[in-house]
């Protein structure tokens, strides 16, 4: 039954993920062959530093010429784990042109150029798989694209960045401030020396674009994703959250509007109730909540990063692509037929927690409440605490559009009695 | 681009799940067509009571002759949602013989005859998909079979029966006894009039057999699954669990032995730590924890039953099978190449919580400890509480084989000073 010609896999990049893919391909060769129906062999490894010793990898396979590797013409699968836009993009399209299917873990590239890459794959009748690009080992792309193919997804709500979840979890459990928690994350290797991509939400925004595109069968580009980092979350915000029975998470939220006629994608810190399953996602773990018409609420939880978990996702894709090669078929490609408009942040509707510093004198609450009412933002609860002529006022609203809330806050700032807006945080997951 | 001949789908059974499948096929016809690449049409519905009014289903499609329906020869997909062994089994094999692929939600049949059904599908080069057979809408079969195809699964630990989870959750949160909680589950429609299949673990055992087979690439039959129901779990057991920082869940556990040379599958109530993600799975929800070499710990959570969630899983499979039909391929079939031996319960290794009623006099603890030592069962903690000449002794062991524990308990029962063994419960998830 088993075909003897091996399927040839080339690796572009041999860092933390690539070396683990190579290791598993070697140590689990028999299992992979049995599961695919043919042996797979490592046919080449493109690296930048060829002199580095790579345990378990035949040095004759190593090359610095990635372009020549993908042009060989005898490759079945090219695995791109370089990251970044170029040369990854050109290498992937060159691989398609020369007959290979592609497995990628490159969230930035897919979020920016997913449509063009899918088009290139389709033109050459090849597969483009990228389970590893979102939330490491957690199966998300395949469940959204295949398991839920007969359902209507309304919302994807997830913790998709382990670094920021580690920091926020630390702030929540110890009362530490942002900088202190970041320092610990850096010391433990959970945050990079330059943590910008994580803490400013760029990484999560790329994943949100990919998830929204698949969930809503609509092209969602990175530029379409509203992005707000978590560097301004304070210990005081956590104290406010606790008073509401909430914690704070950096969430990626992809939503279908209530009228179903548009979608949106956004990344920002938000309060979520402690009773929500995402609230108990600790440390560097990731979890994604998916709400659909028929299946209700599903959650997928696991390690969102790391060499071995990401390699597991890459290998699952390698097996799928190899099976497709053997049967002469391709898996599902891009599905963007719904082509729904992507709303800007102003149209997004949610709840808000607003802390104001106000003068502690009669009539202030009435003034503030009038501003909310004038902007059509309905107040759910309000709590005032006064001391020495100053007071803090905490307002939690019902659902309102971001544009209405922004207008409200601008008007509040112009009130003499409002000394300052201490914080504004969205409330999600209810 | 779109092929115009519709793909033909026949439904066997039109109860809670079947009617929801038919409804979604009608209301979401355009979405399904776009996702598949061709329209799908409902070509026939086999029922037992043709006179029943079925909203939204053309009466001319309804037949009582399921056999004639599956023999039509023009069907692309037969959806079996009848349940039970016969006539489902014969109808499925007949469907393969007459050119259709099959989507089934029938856990009992797949657990008992999965190998033969897969062989029949393979012989006719057709698909057999059954995501809906385990844990309703939660994607599990596809992630295990495809996403983790490049990984090595070591353990699957899950709450796969909503009825029993509802009952145990109620006992935990209210202190109710088993019967009281069962009565409430029945009144609310979470338990059937005859709850045997759920509370005695038969339903969970069928799911365990299916999951173990896929996870370990080994045939695991229903008879291979050790099964213990949860009817004897008491309020006192929950009190004991709480003292240990645990709760009690009915778990389906599929494990690779530590030496990797065998596997096992079992269903029984067990204590798990409150810190374990499965401990917070409430009400009738299901959740499955998967531990693998590379991906670490993954969890899949969602509604494990109900018409709409199960229909979502069925429709995901219909879309996949239809895509395969269009590309002239089939998805992954049975993978049983590993063919590992399936151990009996005696070889299973875990921890135990044992409550003994003993005479409150000097030397009893020494006697009891000696019995454990003689059987090679190492004690982790022991707690003694005495009153009026009687005492209770709670022993928590380190990991030991079920056979050693059974031998220990037999020997304890023969001690004069041991008045009775109040309860024995396994401790999992650590």
């Amino acid at each position: 039954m088993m075909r003897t010609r091996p399927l040839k896999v080339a690796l572009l990049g041999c860092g933390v993920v690539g070396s683990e893919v190579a290791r598993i391909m070697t140590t689990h060769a028999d299992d992979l062959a049995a599961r695919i129906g043919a042996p797979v062999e490592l046919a080449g490894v493109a690296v930048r530093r060829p002199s580095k010793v790579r345990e378990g990898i035949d040095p004759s396979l190593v090359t610095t010429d990635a372009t020549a590797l993908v042009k060989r013409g005898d490759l079945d699968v090219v695995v791109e784990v370089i990251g970044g836009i170029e040369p990854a993009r050109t290498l992937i399209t060159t691989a398609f042109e020369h007959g290979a299917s592609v497995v990628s873990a490159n969230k930035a590239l897919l979020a920016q150029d997913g449509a063009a890459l899918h088009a290139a794959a389709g033109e050459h009748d090849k597969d483009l798989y990228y389970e590893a690009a979102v939330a490491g080992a957690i199966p998300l792309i395949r469940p959204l694209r295949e398991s839920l193919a007969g359902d209507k997804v309304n919302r994807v709500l997830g913790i998709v960045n382990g670094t920021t979840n580690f920091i926020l979890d630390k702030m929540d459990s110890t009362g530490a401030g942002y900088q202190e928690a970041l320092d610990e994350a850096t010391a433990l290797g959970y945050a990079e020396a330059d943590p910008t991509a994580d803490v400013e939400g760029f990484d999560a925004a790329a994943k949100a674009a990919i998830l929204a595109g698949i969930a809503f069968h609509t092209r969602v580009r990175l530029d379409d994703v509203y992005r707000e980092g978590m560097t301004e979350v304070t210990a005081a915000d956590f104290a406010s959250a606790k008073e509401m029975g909430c914690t704070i998470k950096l969430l990626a939220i992809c939503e279908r509007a209530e009228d179903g006629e548009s979608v949106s994608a956004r990344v920002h810190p938000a309060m979520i109730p402690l009773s929500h399953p995402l609230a108990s996602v600790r440390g560097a773990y990731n979890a994604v909540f998916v709400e659909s018409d028929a299946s209700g609420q599903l959650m997928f939880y696991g390690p969102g990063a790391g060499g071995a978990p990401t390699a597991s996702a890459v290998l699952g894709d390698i097996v799928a692509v190899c099976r497709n090669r053997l049967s002469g078929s391709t898996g599902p490609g891009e599905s963007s037929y719904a082509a729904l408009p992507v709303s800007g942040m102003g149209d997004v509707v949610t709840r808000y927690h607003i802390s104001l510093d106000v003068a502690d004198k009669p009539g202030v609450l009435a003034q503030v409440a009038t501003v909310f009412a004038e902007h059509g933002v309905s107040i759910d609860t309000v709590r005032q605490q006064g001391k020495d002529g100053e007071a803090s006022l905490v307002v939690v609203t019902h659902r309102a559009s971001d544009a209405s809330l922004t207008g409200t806050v601008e008007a509040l700032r112009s009130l003499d009695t409002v000394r300052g807006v201490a914080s504004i945080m969205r409330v999600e997951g209810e």
Side-chain angles (χ1 to χ4, degrees), chain A residues 366-420:
Chain A
Q367 263 191 324
V368 166
T370 303
V371 169
F372 276 89
E374 282 169 357
H375 290 81
V377 179
S378 173
I379 292 176
D380 180 17
T381 64
V382 62
R383 205 180 60 243
Q384 182 162 5
Q385 206 161 22
K387 197 183 161 196
D388 304 332
E390 291 284 314
S392 75
L393 202 61
V394 173
V395 177
V396 180
T397 74
H398 286 296
R399 285 166 63 77
S401 74
D402 197 88
S404 309
L405 193 276
T406 303
T408 306
V409 171
E410 267 173 36
L412 288 172
R413 286 192 208 272
S414 71
L415 292 179
D416 284 347
T417 47
V418 172
R419 306 278 158 83

Side-chain angles (χ1 to χ4, degrees), chain A residues 202-291:
Chain A
F202 292 100
D203 173 86
K207 292 163 178 171
I210 295 171
L211 290 174
I214 296 173
F216 305 132
H217 301 269
T218 288
R219 281 184 190 153
V220 178
R221 292 167 311 121
L222 187 52
D223 294 347
D224 295 327
V225 182
Y226 172 83
R227 182 191 50 75
E228 199 177 295
M230 45 71 74
T231 58
E232 290 173 21
V233 176
T234 63
D237 291 329
F238 272 101
S240 300
K242 279 210 173 73
E243 280 172 18
M244 283 187 65
C246 286
T247 186
I248 298 169
K249 296 291 187 186
L250 183 72
L251 297 178
I253 305 173
C254 312
E255 267 180 336
R256 194 185 291 275
E258 279 172 23
D259 65 5
E261 300 300 315
S262 65
V263 298
S264 63
R266 52 197 167 107
V267 169
H268 54 70
M271 295 186 183
I272 57 167
L274 292 174
S275 58
H276 194 284
L278 289 179
S280 51
V281 175
R282 300 268 168 254
Y285 271 82
N286 282 195
V288 176
F289 215 72
V290 178
E291 297 176 25

Side-chain angles (χ1 to χ4, degrees), chain A residues 1 12 27-28 83 89 97 111 141 155 177 219 235 246 257 265 278 307 325 327-328 380 383 389 405:
Chain A
M1 287 288 284
L12 308 182
T27 56
H28 289 56
R89 177 170 50 193
E97 287 161 11
I141 308 285
R155 182 181 286 120
R219 281 184 190 153
C246 286
L278 289 179
R325 301 278 290 195
S327 69
D380 180 17
R383 205 180 60 243
L405 193 276

Side-chain angles (χ1 to χ4, degrees), chain A residues 14 20 40 71 108-109 116 121 123 143 172 221 264 375 394 430:
Chain A
C14 198
E20 189 66 16
V40 276
K71 284 185 173 173
L109 178 58
E123 192 186 322
D172 185 44
R221 292 167 311 121
S264 63
H375 290 81
V394 173
E430 295 178 306

